[in-house]
């Protein structure tokens, strides 16, 4: 060190050492001051607990005196131990509890330092008691403060009576035991927000909850008694019935002192008797009006299927054998886009009147008005959140019981219960590997088959591939290029182009169309291979959707002849007709002159074959397999909302495509009349089950709520809490396809399916387009598998979804009775057979009771419930 710098360096070093020593002393002093303050607070709590009230001092003087002497002994021992460790006694800082009464404000401030949760009542893990923060300390409890071996133990100590829950003497033992169980289970299952244990749904209208991690818990269970963990393990599997009984006894006093706790935590087991505000009453009235509108429009059979007389001979007969049927005297006329049926040509009274277009659009506007009202949105949002929490409480308490019930059902598991793929487009019913192998086999076995007329000449299959510069050896899945990828997201046009193998429309016409030069022979053969695979699986069924475009009336006869001539039939499959909404394209091409032409081409043949089956014998046979009608196309296209006074279909001659609700009404109105006529003649009916809510405005979902039995997709319900609540109350089926949505409109992690399922909406899973989306032969199981892994669905959840899919389907009453049980049409556990469905009665009872409670809430305890489900 240089002599010149030595004095300054020494001075700086001395200053640094002094600062370090000073800071150390201050830190040590602050620690001991803080510790002394904490010890004083804890000692003050102990003194407060030991302090008896003046009104009871005379009768309990002896007992309290003994306890105080014991308390003084262990307090003095603690002080001696602290003094030996170098800590001063803070007994002089505590006011003698025998001379001075503690202030109430200090009691309240002190107790709030031990707040456990912001949303649940506090509980003590050692005693299992609930902590009422507003209540005074109970001096009558047999309290004895524990002996502390150190100040650290005193810091970790939570007094066991903060304060204990008091009950009536008659039920004291039972209530305290019940409280212990409930508090223990609630403490271990402490909930935190936000995020859902089933994965966060970013686009949902609310945030979920998840179970807290062990590191976040405010209690260390090792500090409690050794029996605490065993108590939790034994009691956390309580059933819903036991839980209700415990709640009724143990929390009666707490419910009376804190009504908000009783309303939020306890399931509603009785109609709400408390008065409601005029605003809430008006909200309830509007929601009831919306439900009444659905009852007004929805078609229902006069005789439900399970009460109709069964025809045993029809099942064993050849499905393609036609027996002449005597025509009826009915006549019909198309007027303003709707068919009107009369008993005979001489009659002028309409047999089956249906609501007019003006009435429908007026009611639709009323529904949309209710959906947009702020207080209605708030009420529905809170009720949906309440349904979320109810399910989480049920799942927390009964997951183990449900699992045990499933294990007790012999033979049944997820793989051998019936599942219906309720939404599959027929042109994409096979997977891409299956289609590739089929094309290769045809190219190898039938290269010289004339398959297409293109550019003024007939081409064989071999010549078609030569024109594409392809051979059978060159073909692979990547070259086929039918799988949806990133390029199809929000591009419905590119998604539709994926139906063209190798990007060639001529290959689609050859292999995936039934109205081609070879009369759809290749499509029939690959369809029969798919049906054979489906029958081999035994427990999987499907509903395939095939198109009728409405360009000409002969389409129905062509489609029916394709079915009959190629023997397309399976016990595992039923069919739906889908109508693409392509009026604007047909208008530009000159195929139609007005929207009325499309309605004529679609519905006139159906009424003709219903009145006189001999006029279209093959169509009559085909319609026995048809159970539903669908409208389909890109819902994301902008459209103008219909007004109350819309042009009639014959007046719709412009080139713009009508709105979704315009299509929906005229399809519904004609199907309503058609079904009434077919039911009167003992024929099968066709229900309206369109694509709805995949994209676009919520107007689509509002129209669907009024006139549809169930809908496909429905993911846009996440944008409207009112419509979502209405769909829950009406138990409208949602046939959801999360993997399809992931490829087209909505990322998988944002799909609202898990939220809808938890809340109790009537959801099922379907594959939509296996050719474009799935990789395996069992597309439906692939849907279930991905959903189970991503959203952590249990075996009970999967079986419940599969059970819903059977209810959503259009299979016959005999089939559903065989798959679900002979009493499947009854509501609640009475209609559930766990030996068939593998769904525990506990889960069905929870869903049924929750739905009834919501209806009672809405109808102020005056709701009426039918014993049978809606057909």
């Amino acid at each position: 060190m240089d002599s010149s710098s030595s004095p300054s360096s020494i001075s700086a070093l001395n200053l640094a050492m002094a600062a370090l020593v000073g800071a150390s002393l201050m830190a040590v002093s602050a620690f001991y001051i803080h510790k002394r303050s904490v010890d004083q607070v804890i000692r003050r709590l102990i003194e407060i607990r030991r302090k008896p009230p003046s009104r009871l001092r005379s009768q309990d003087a002896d007992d309290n005196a003994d306890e105080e002497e014991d308390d003084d002994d262990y307090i003095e021992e603690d002080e001696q131990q602290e003094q030996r460790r170098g800590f001063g006694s803070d007994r002089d800082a505590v006011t003698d509890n025998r001379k001075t009464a503690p202030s109430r404000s200090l009691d309240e401030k002190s107790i709030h330092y031990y707040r456990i949760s912001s949303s649940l009542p506090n509980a003590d893990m050692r005693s299992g008691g609930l902590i009422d923060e507003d209540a005074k300390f109970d001096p009558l409890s047999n309290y004895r403060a524990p002996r502390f071996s150190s100040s650290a133990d005193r810091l970790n100590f939570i007094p066991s009576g903060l304060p204990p829950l008091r009950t009536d003497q008659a039920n004291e033992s039972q209530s305290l035991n019940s409280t212990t169980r409930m508090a223990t289970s609630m403490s271990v299952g402490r909930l935190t927000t936000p995020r859902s244990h089933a994965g966060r749904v970013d686009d949902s209208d609310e945030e979920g909850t998840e179970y807290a991690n062990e590191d976040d818990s405010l209690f260390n269970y090792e500090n409690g008694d050794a029996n605490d963990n065993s108590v939790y393990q034994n009691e956390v599997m309580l059933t819903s019935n036991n839980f209700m009984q415990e709640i009724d006894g143990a929390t009666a006093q707490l419910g009376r002192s804190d009504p908000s706790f009783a309303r939020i935590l306890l399931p509603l087991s009785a109609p709400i008797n408390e008065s409601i505000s005029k605003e809430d009453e008006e909200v309830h009235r509007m929601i009831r009006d919306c439900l009444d509108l659905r009852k007004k429009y929805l078609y229902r059979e006069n005789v439900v299927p399970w009460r109709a007389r069964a025809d045993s001979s029809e099942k064993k007969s050849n499905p393609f054998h036609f027996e002449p049927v005597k025509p009826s005297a009915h006549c019909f006329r198309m007027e303003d886009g709707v068919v009107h049926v009369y008993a005979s040509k001489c009659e002028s009274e309409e047999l089956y009147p249906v609501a007019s277009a003006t009435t429908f659009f007026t009611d639709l506007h009323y529904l949309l008005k209710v959906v947009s009202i702020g207080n209605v949105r708030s009420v529905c949002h809170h009720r949906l959140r309440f349904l979320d929490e109810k399910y989480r409480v049920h799942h927390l308490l009964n997951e183990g019981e449900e699992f045990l019930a499933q294990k007790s059902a012999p033979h049944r598991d997820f793989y051998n219960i019936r599942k219906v793929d309720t939404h599959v487009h027929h042109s994409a019913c096979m997977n891409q590997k299956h289609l590739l192998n089929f094309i290769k086999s045809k190219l190898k076995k039938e290269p010289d088959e004339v398959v297409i007329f293109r550019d003024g000449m007939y081409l064989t299959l071999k010549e078609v591939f030569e024109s594409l510069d392809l051979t059978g050896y060159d073909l692979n899945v990547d070259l086929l290029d039918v799988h949806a990828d990133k390029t199809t997201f929000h591009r419905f046009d590119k998604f539709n182009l994926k139906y063209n193998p190798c990007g060639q429309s001529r290959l689609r016409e050859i292999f995936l169309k039934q109205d081609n030069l070879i009369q759809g022979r290749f499509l029939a053969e690959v369809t029969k291979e798919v049906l054979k695979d489906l029958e081999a699986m035994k427990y999987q069924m499907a509903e395939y959707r095939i198109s009728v475009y409405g360009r000409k009336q002969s389409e129905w006869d062509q489609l029916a002849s394709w079915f009959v001539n190629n023997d397309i039939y399976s016990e595992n499959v039923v069919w739906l007709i889908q109508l693409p909404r392509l009026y604007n394209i047909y208008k530009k091409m000159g195929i139609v002159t007005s929207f009325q032409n499309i309605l004529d081409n679609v519905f006139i043949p159906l009424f003709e074959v219903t009145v006189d089956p001999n006029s279209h014998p093959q169509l009559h046979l085909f319609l026995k397999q048809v159970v539903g009608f669908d409208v389909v196309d890109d819902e994301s296209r902008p459209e103008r909302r219909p007004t109350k006074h819309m042009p009639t279909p014959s007046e719709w001659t412009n080139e713009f495509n009508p709105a979704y609700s315009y299509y929906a009404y005229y399809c519904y109105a004609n199907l309503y009349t058609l079904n009434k006529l077919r039911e009167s003649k003992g024929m099968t009916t066709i229900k309206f089950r369109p694509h709805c809510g995949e994209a676009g405005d919520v107007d689509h979902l509002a129209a669907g709520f009024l006139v549809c039995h169930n809908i496909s997709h429905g993911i846009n319900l996440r944008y409207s809490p009112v419509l979502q609540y209405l769909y829950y109350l009406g138990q409208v089926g949602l046939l959801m396809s999360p993997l399809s949505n992931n490829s087209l409109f909505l990322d998988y992690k944002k799909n609202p399916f898990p939220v809808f399922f938890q809340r109790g909406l009537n959801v099922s899973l379907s594959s939509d387009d296996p050719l474009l989306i799935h990789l395996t032969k069992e597309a439906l199981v692939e849907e279930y598998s991905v959903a189970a892994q991503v959203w952590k669905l249990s075996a009970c959840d999967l079986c419940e979804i599969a059970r819903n899919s059977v209810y959503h389907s259009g299979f016959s009453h005999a089939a559903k009775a065989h798959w679900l049980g002979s009493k499947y049409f009854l509501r609640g556990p009475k209609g559930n057979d766990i030996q068939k469905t593998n769904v525990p009665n506990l889960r069905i009872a929870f869903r049924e009771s929750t739905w009834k409670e919501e209806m009672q809430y809405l109808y102020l305890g005056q709701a009426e419930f039918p014993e049978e489900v809606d057909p």
Side-chain angles (χ1 to χ4, degrees):
M1 182 180 295
D2 297 339
S3 60
S4 61
S5 60
S6 176
S8 60
S9 301
I10 294 174
S11 176
L13 180 61
N14 292 337
L15 289 174
M17 292 297 295
L20 178 62
V21 171
S24 301
L25 291 175
M26 291 188 67
V28 172
S29 300
F31 169 76
Y32 286 116
I33 292 173
H34 174 70
K35 177 194 174 302
R36 184 181 181 87
S37 300
V38 173
D39 287 347
Q40 289 177 0
V41 171
I42 295 177
R43 188 178 296 278
R44 180 60 174 166
L45 291 175
I46 297 172
E47 294 291 339
I48 291 171
R49 285 294 295 137
R50 293 169 50 207
K51 175 69 174 67
S54 57
R55 66 179 185 273
L56 299 174
R57 185 173 299 167
S58 59
Q59 64 184 26
D60 296 330
D62 296 338
D63 295 338
N64 290 340
D66 295 338
E67 293 179 0
E68 289 169 359
E69 291 177 1
D70 294 339
D71 294 340
D72 290 340
D73 293 339
Y74 69 73
I75 291 175
E76 291 177 358
E77 293 177 4
D78 290 340
E79 291 174 354
Q80 294 174 2
Q81 293 177 2
E82 291 175 354
Q83 291 176 359
R84 286 195 295 269
R85 288 193 298 270
F87 300 118
S89 173
D90 46 7
R91 183 182 179 93
D92 54 343
V94 181
T95 304
D96 188 359
N97 63 349
R98 287 182 294 269
K99 296 180 181 180
T100 305
S103 65
R104 176 175 176 81
S105 61
L106 179 59
D107 299 349
E108 295 175 350
K109 292 179 180 178
S110 300
I111 196 63
H112 280 295
Y113 282 80
Y114 290 85
R115 179 68 177 170
I116 297 173
S117 171
S118 61
S119 59
L120 291 178
N122 291 342
D124 177 23
M125 285 303 299
R126 290 173 176 79
S127 66
L130 293 176
I131 298 175
D132 185 358
E133 298 176 30
D134 297 329
K136 295 182 180 180
F137 290 121
D138 182 11
L140 298 180
S141 59
N142 293 328
Y143 172 81
R144 183 178 298 276
R147 301 177 184 272
F148 300 116
S149 60
S150 64
S151 296
D153 291 341
R154 182 180 290 114
L155 289 174
N156 291 330
F157 168 66
I158 296 177
S160 61
L162 288 184
L165 182 65
R166 295 307 302 255
T167 58
D168 298 336
Q169 293 180 357
N171 299 324
E172 182 174 359
S173 60
Q174 178 182 359
S175 300
L176 290 177
N177 183 37
S178 302
T179 306
T180 302
R181 294 197 216 175
M182 184 182 64
T184 305
S185 62
M186 286 193 301
S187 301
V188 176
R190 184 175 62 87
L191 297 174
T192 60
T193 58
R195 290 194 298 273
S196 168
H197 68 278
R200 179 171 178 173
V201 182
D202 294 337
D203 282 3
S204 181
D205 57 339
E206 78 293 317
E207 294 177 342
T209 62
E210 68 173 0
Y211 296 112
N213 297 327
E214 293 181 0
D215 297 338
D216 298 334
S217 179
L218 297 182
F219 289 116
N220 183 357
Y221 305 127
E222 295 178 357
N223 293 339
D225 297 337
N227 294 329
D228 285 343
N229 289 336
S230 61
V231 170
Y232 164 68
Q233 293 172 357
N234 292 334
E235 300 299 334
V236 75
M237 309 301 290
L238 294 173
T239 63
S240 291
N241 293 334
N242 292 338
F243 178 66
M244 289 292 296
Q245 294 173 1
E246 294 170 1
I247 290 294
D248 291 341
T251 63
Q253 183 67 26
L254 183 57
R256 287 191 291 269
S257 62
D258 189 359
S260 62
F261 171 79
R263 288 197 301 270
I264 295 174
L265 182 62
L266 308 186
L268 298 176
S269 57
I272 297 178
N273 295 323
E274 62 185 33
S275 61
I276 62 174
S277 64
K278 291 184 178 180
E279 181 179 350
D280 288 343
E281 185 177 353
E282 181 66 16
V283 170
H284 291 187
R285 183 192 63 78
M286 288 187 287
I287 296 177
R288 294 196 300 267
D289 289 344
C290 294
L291 292 175
D292 291 339
L293 286 177
R294 175 171 170 82
K295 294 178 182 178
K296 168 185 174 181
Y297 283 98
L298 196 63
Y299 167 76
R300 303 290 189 192
E301 292 94 341
N302 292 328
V303 180
V304 291
W306 46 86
R307 298 189 185 279
R309 182 177 299 177
D311 188 357
S312 59
S313 61
E314 184 177 353
K315 182 177 180 181
K316 299 179 181 179
S317 62
N318 181 2
F320 302 110
H321 173 68
F322 175 76
E323 294 183 359
V325 180
K326 183 179 180 179
S328 61
H330 295 93
C331 70
F332 60 89
R333 292 192 300 268
M334 178 75 77
E335 299 176 3
D336 294 333
V338 179
V339 175
H340 298 265
V341 178
Y342 305 92
S344 65
K345 294 181 180 180
C346 301
E347 297 290 337
S348 59
E349 182 181 357
E350 186 179 357
L351 290 180
Y352 313 114
V354 64
S356 65
T358 301
T359 303
F360 171 78
F361 289 118
T362 301
D363 292 337
L364 178 62
H365 277 254
Y366 174 78
L367 176 57
L368 292 172
K369 178 183 176 181
V370 173
V371 167
S372 64
I373 296 176
N375 55 349
V376 181
R377 292 169 59 88
S378 298
V379 169
C380 294
H381 171 76
H382 289 304
R383 300 309 298 181
L384 292 171
R385 291 295 301 272
F386 187 37
L387 292 173
D388 269 334
E389 300 308 322
K390 273 190 173 183
Y391 176 82
R392 291 190 176 94
V393 171
H394 169 82
H395 186 269
L396 175 67
L397 296 176
N398 301 300
E399 182 182 14
E401 288 291 330
E402 291 175 344
F403 181 63
L404 292 176
Q406 285 187 302
K407 291 173 67 175
S408 65
H411 177 64
R412 293 298 174 190
D413 53 37
F414 169 72
Y415 292 97
N416 55 22
I417 60 172
R418 264 67 181 193
K419 301 169 284 291
V420 181
D421 198 345
T422 48
H423 174 200
V424 192
H425 296 284
H426 170 243
S427 297
C429 64
M430 72 295 293
N431 63 73
Q432 53 186 337
K433 186 65 176 178
H434 189 167
L435 179 61
L436 176 65
N437 292 337
F438 182 80
I439 293 175
K440 283 186 173 183
S441 67
K442 289 302 173 184
L443 191 56
K444 180 179 180 181
K445 298 177 181 179
E446 303 180 33
D448 298 327
E449 178 75 16
V450 178
V451 294
I452 195 172
F453 180 79
R454 184 65 64 93
D455 299 329
M457 56 187 303
Y458 292 94
L459 299 177
T460 64
L461 186 60
K462 181 179 180 180
E463 290 172 342
V464 170
F465 276 89
E466 287 177 350
S467 66
L468 300 176
D469 196 21
L470 292 174
T471 65
Y473 182 78
D474 296 330
L475 291 176
N476 56 43
V477 168
D478 297 327
L479 185 60
L480 206 62
D481 192 25
V482 294
H483 205 67
D485 52 23
K486 295 179 181 178
T487 62
T488 63
F489 196 69
H490 282 284
R491 289 296 302 272
F492 199 87
D493 54 338
K494 289 189 175 182
F495 188 84
N496 278 339
L497 290 177
K498 289 294 182 178
Y499 281 93
N500 298 329
C502 302
Q504 299 296 321
S505 61
R506 65 184 69 184
L507 294 182
R508 179 181 184 178
E509 181 180 348
I510 295 170
F511 291 100
L512 299 179
K513 293 286 187 179
Q514 84 273 1
D515 54 343
N516 53 21
L517 187 64
I518 58 176
Q519 299 181 351
R521 182 168 63 86
F522 286 172
L523 179 60
E525 291 179 7
V526 71
T527 299
K528 294 172 77 172
E529 290 180 4
V530 173
L531 298 182
K532 185 177 180 180
D533 291 340
L534 202 60
E535 292 170 352
M537 298 172 190
K538 184 179 179 180
Y539 295 102
Q540 293 187 38
M541 287 71 190
E543 294 183 315
Y544 292 142
R545 307 189 179 210
I546 193 166
S547 296
V548 169
Y549 297 92
R551 293 172 294 194
K552 50 188 178 181
Q553 294 188 18
S554 60
E555 287 181 10
W556 282 106
D557 290 325
Q558 291 177 355
L559 179 60
S561 63
W562 179 77
F563 269 88
V564 175
N565 295 336
N566 293 285
D567 295 334
I568 307 296
Y569 178 81
S570 173
E571 294 286 347
N572 291 48
V573 174
V574 291
W575 297 83
L576 284 83
I577 301 300
Q578 62 183 20
L579 174 66
R581 295 184 289 112
L582 300 176
Y583 162 79
N584 56 330
I585 295 178
Y586 302 153
K587 175 65 176 176
K588 291 178 181 178
M589 295 174 63
I591 298 176
V592 299
T593 59
S594 68
F595 188 71
Q596 182 67 57
N597 297 144
I598 292 182
L599 295 177
D600 290 340
N601 296 336
V602 171
F603 291 105
I604 292 296
L606 296 179
F607 281 91
E608 289 177 349
V609 72
T610 301
V611 172
D612 183 10
N614 303 307
S615 61
H616 304 272
Q618 292 179 327
L619 180 57
H620 174 71
L621 295 175
F622 169 59
L623 289 180
K624 293 182 178 181
Q625 302 184 50
V626 176
V627 298
F629 193 90
D630 181 12
V631 290
V632 57
D633 200 41
D634 184 7
E635 292 187 64
S636 64
R637 294 175 181 173
E639 61 185 29
R640 181 175 297 178
R641 176 179 294 181
T643 62
K644 298 178 182 179
H645 303 286
M646 295 293 293
T648 62
S650 59
E651 297 172 347
W652 195 284
T653 57
N654 58 61
E655 294 184 354
F656 297 104
N657 206 29
Y660 178 93
S661 55
Y662 194 87
Y663 272 94
Y665 168 73
Y666 284 102
C667 290
Y668 151 78
N670 286 288
L671 285 173
Y672 182 92
T673 307
L674 177 67
N675 286 329
K676 287 291 185 181
L677 178 60
R678 292 182 65 84
E679 183 185 8
S680 68
K681 301 189 65 174
M683 299 178 179
T684 58
T685 57
I686 302 172
K687 295 182 178 179
F688 190 37
R689 298 168 49 186
H691 281 59
C692 184
E694 185 180 14
D697 299 329
V698 295
D699 299 20
H700 304 185
L701 290 163
F705 175 76
L706 292 179
V707 299
C708 302
H709 284 82
N710 53 55
I711 64 172
S712 298
H713 297 297
I715 55 177
N716 274 4
L717 283 174
R718 71 192 194 276
Y719 293 133
S720 176
V722 180
L723 282 173
Q724 190 181 147
Y725 190 55
L726 287 172
Y727 269 74
Y728 167 75
L729 295 174
Q731 286 295 287
V732 184
L734 301 178
L735 320 180
M736 305 187 71
S737 307
L739 286 177
S740 173
N741 301 144
N742 183 67
S743 299
L744 195 54
F745 287 114
L746 186 66
D747 288 339
Y748 201 93
K749 63 181 180 181
K750 297 180 180 179
N751 197 288
F753 177 87
V755 177
F756 291 174
F757 174 73
Q758 290 182 15
R759 290 173 176 173
L761 274 75
N762 195 6
V763 297
S764 63
L765 287 171
S766 56
S767 60
D768 198 352
D769 295 285
L771 177 64
L772 279 65
I773 297 165
H774 300 84
L775 301 176
T776 65
K777 183 181 295 186
E778 298 185 47
L780 184 59
V781 173
E782 193 173 334
E783 283 281 350
Y784 279 89
S785 175
V786 175
Q789 293 298 321
V790 174
W791 295 318
K792 297 179 174 58
L793 301 178
S794 66
C796 181
D797 298 336
L798 296 178
C799 293
E800 182 185 1
I801 296 168
R803 179 178 182 265
N804 290 345
S805 71
V806 178
Y807 279 99
H808 294 166
S809 70
F811 282 91
S812 66
H813 161 65
K816 291 183 179 180
H818 177 62
W819 299 340
L820 300 179
S822 59
K823 297 182 179 179
Y824 77 95
F825 50 85
L826 297 179
R827 290 187 179 273
K830 294 181 180 179
N832 181 58
D833 184 358
I834 192 174
Q835 306 293 336
K836 298 279 189 178
T837 65
N838 202 37
V839 181
N841 287 336
L842 188 60
R843 173 66 64 89
I844 302 299
F846 166 74
R847 295 295 192 192
E848 179 72 5
S849 62
T850 303
W851 176 74
K852 287 184 175 179
E853 288 159 8
E854 287 301 309
M855 294 295 288
Q856 292 285 24
Y857 165 79
L858 191 64
Y859 285 86
L860 303 179
Q862 304 298 319
E864 296 180 359
F865 305 104
E867 294 184 358
E868 299 176 348
V869 299
D870 295 330

